[in-house]
Amino acid sequence: MQIKYRAQLLTIVVLLSGSLVVAGCGKKQAGGPPKMGPPEVGVIEVKPQHVALTTELPGRTSPFMIAEVRPQVNGIVQKRVFTEGSDVKAGQVLYQIDPATYQAAYASAQANEARAAANLVPARLKEERFRELVKINAVSKQDYDNAYASLRQAEAEVSAAKAAVETARINLAYTRVTAPISGRIGRSAVTDGALVTANQPAALATIQQMNSMYVDVVQSSSDMLKLNRSLSSGLLKRDAAGQARVKLLLEDGTEYPVSGTLKFSDVTVDQSTGSITLRAVFPNPKQVLLPGMFVRAVVQEGVSENAILVPQRGVTRNPAGNATCLVVGAEDKVEPRVIKVSRTVGENWLVSDGLKAGDRVILEGLQKAKPGTQVKVVPFQANPQAAPSQAPAAGK
């Protein structure tokens, strides 16, 4: 009986052990890792765009009109009759030079004119009498010729006297130094009592007209040649007005609120720098722009009607230095693509070759996207919104 009981107990133990082993194997298989699907990547679809291409160039501001005030007669400055830094009008008196000597010269010239006019009267009467007498041979032909010559000489003296009077009047007017143009006048180089001379090299003051301002920028001649080739080939086009618009960045980085117009390009290349000067005109109604300021001009070169733009984050460089990107091709497989980029437009690269409309460029998940692997394509979101958090459970 004992032997039979032990055999039954051993059989039960073996069966229990087998069931435990089978149960353990089943649990191990159920807890294994799930099968992995293709990696997920964010892509954008390439679409041609209408893009205005610009270039940023350094430059300096200069006044639209500038005039240096200089005396045109000699004399002592009696009074300065303007406020430094104020706005003046054309013809406004700025300095008064002592006019005493010029008033005397003007009076003397007037007296000489009166004397010449008085001498002209008897000469004219004598010529008229001799003209009638010579017809009846009452006077000789020689006497009439002398009378006629005296008349012409008297008329010439009158003309010379009038010219002297006008010269004296002009010199007297020059004692009042006036503003040649309207604008803002700077500091005065002389004070009351200073001796000034006609056409002296040092200016008394400088007037600058700043309602509009010039901005002179420089561009390399090679960039100018590229721009001309792009325009001639039709890759770029001018705007309807035919004039390039220009925006301005001030010294502190802020944008000037009013846009300007590119007026002309210089016809000579600077041999020392290999650059060409471009001049733009900007309205300056609030006098924000001052002469000599350093600025950066954003010049609109042209418009590309079928531009292909790719964000910079999707473009890398291969060991050869060529620009490359990853594209999702047929059957959603990753393909490396060598492209040509010409310039940056904001945060994008302008692609000139290597991509076409409809290509899907990978921007997110580049680490998981290996060439030749299949991927799951989702639209790229530049600023994805955070997913809403789940509410906590009400209770256990």
Side-chain angles (χ1 to χ4, degrees), residues 78-122:
Q78 285 185 332
K79 188 178 182 181
R80 172 172 62 87
V81 290
F82 70 91
T83 302
E84 294 175 320
S86 64
D87 292 330
V88 297
K89 299 293 184 181
Q92 178 180 334
V93 178
L94 305 177
Y95 297 92
Q96 178 62 60
I97 299 175
D98 185 6
T101 56
Y102 298 99
Q103 286 177 341
Y106 180 58
S108 177
Q110 287 179 318
N112 291 334
E113 181 186 11
R115 182 172 59 240
N119 293 333
L120 177 61
V121 175

Side-chain angles (χ1 to χ4, degrees), residues 145-187:
D145 291 341
N146 292 338
Y148 182 78
S150 298
L151 173 62
R152 292 292 179 262
Q153 184 177 0
E155 290 176 344
E157 289 176 355
V158 171
S159 298
K162 288 182 178 180
V165 170
E166 183 64 16
T167 301
R169 187 195 63 79
I170 292 174
N171 289 334
L172 179 60
Y174 281 160
T175 60
R176 303 171 75 237
V177 182
T178 59
I181 62 172
S182 299
R184 181 166 296 181
I185 192 167
R187 65 182 183 87

Side-chain angles (χ1 to χ4, degrees), residues 327-396:
V327 179
V328 178
E331 299 180 357
D332 290 342
K333 290 186 178 181
V334 179
E335 300 176 0
R337 188 76 60 84
V338 177
I339 61 176
K340 292 182 180 180
V341 293
S342 57
R343 62 193 301 166
T344 58
V345 179
E347 297 180 354
N348 303 317
W349 282 110
L350 177 63
V351 180
S352 58
D353 190 18
L355 291 176
K356 63 181 182 301
D359 286 343
R360 296 176 293 176
V361 180
I362 300 176
L363 299 184
E364 190 175 13
L366 294 171
Q367 297 82 0
K368 299 177 291 184
K370 304 298 181 183
T373 62
Q374 190 174 20
V375 293
K376 180 182 178 182
V377 176
V378 296
F380 172 73
Q381 296 182 359
N383 295 313
Q385 298 179 354
S389 58
Q390 295 181 356
K396 294 183 182 180

